[in-house]
Amino acid sequence: VMLQEAMDQGHVDAAVLLGSIYLWGQGVAVDHVQAIAGYKVGAKAGDPVCQFQVGTMNFRGFGGDVNYEEAWAWFEKSAAQDYADAVQMLGSMYYIGRGVTSSFHHGREYLNRAIELGSTKAGVSLDQLTEMIHEKAPLLDKRVEIRGTSRADLNGQSGVATDFHYHV
């Protein structure tokens, strides 16, 4: 009751604690609706951990429907404050195309940034992305020449393949 009152008054620490209690069922039944409500108080106050948690809950559909666009928006806010796990999620969302047009290039950029910020998960995700690039887009970052196309303005052009969009 006291935590709820503190959260209702806008205390971020109480919101984080209450969100965690309900998310993990610590002394209470798991309640994702209550968990996301708690985290949203902290998220709206600008707390990057709460923003990440709200993003994760939207991404996974905890406390409501899966909502990749909403997840993306919360991850972006958290990542803007250099929260490594949020940066990692943006990278993963880019390379799998959830909530945003897939882009191996942007996925790599975000995952490398997350690694610089200390994310261990980002290293695993980057390995998975690298494997996917070798499998699905072996010409990415390679010099290519376009031939045999019916579009005269492209025929014979050359350059470097800079991105690949993959749909799962």
Side-chain angles (χ1 to χ4, degrees):
V1 175
M2 289 174 47
L3 274 177
Q4 183 69 46
E5 290 173 3
M7 185 189 78
D8 291 343
Q9 294 173 6
H11 293 279
V12 174
D13 291 340
V16 172
L17 186 55
L18 204 55
S20 295
I21 286 170
Y22 282 112
L23 179 63
W24 302 109
Q26 298 169 328
V28 298
V30 170
D31 186 336
H32 292 144
V33 172
Q34 290 286 2
I36 200 166
Y39 285 131
K40 276 187 177 178
V41 170
K44 289 176 182 176
D47 182 80
V49 175
C50 287
Q51 292 167 339
F52 173 76
Q53 289 293 6
V54 172
T56 299
M57 293 184 79
N58 277 284
F59 186 83
R60 301 198 187 294
F62 292 172
D65 294 332
V66 169
N67 187 332
Y68 297 127
E69 290 77 18
E70 185 79 9
W72 180 268
W74 285 111
F75 288 143
E76 273 191 316
K77 290 177 184 186
S78 181
Q81 298 179 69
D82 291 333
Y83 191 71
D85 288 343
V87 177
Q88 182 269 328
M89 281 302 296
L90 291 173
S92 294
M93 289 177 77
Y94 253 127
Y95 89 77
I96 61 175
R98 296 287 191 269
V100 65
T101 301
S102 73
S103 168
F104 286 0
H105 174 76
H106 286 102
R108 259 196 315 209
E109 285 180 340
Y110 275 97
L111 293 173
N112 281 321
R113 180 171 163 234
I115 290 168
E116 290 171 9
L117 292 170
S119 172
T120 55
K121 293 178 192 175
V124 173
S125 295
L126 187 59
D127 289 344
Q128 292 170 341
L129 173 56
T130 300
E131 186 176 312
M132 188 180 279
I133 288 171
H134 286 111
E135 179 185 324
K136 305 288 184 191
L139 298 178
L140 189 62
D141 293 330
K142 305 281 192 290
R143 183 161 178 75
V144 295
E145 188 169 331
I146 302 167
R147 292 198 179 272
T149 180
S150 61
R151 293 186 59 190
D153 59 335
L154 291 178
N155 198 19
Q157 296 292 315
S158 62
V160 175
T162 59
D163 204 354
F164 181 78
H165 303 286
Y166 176 69
H167 300 282
V168 182

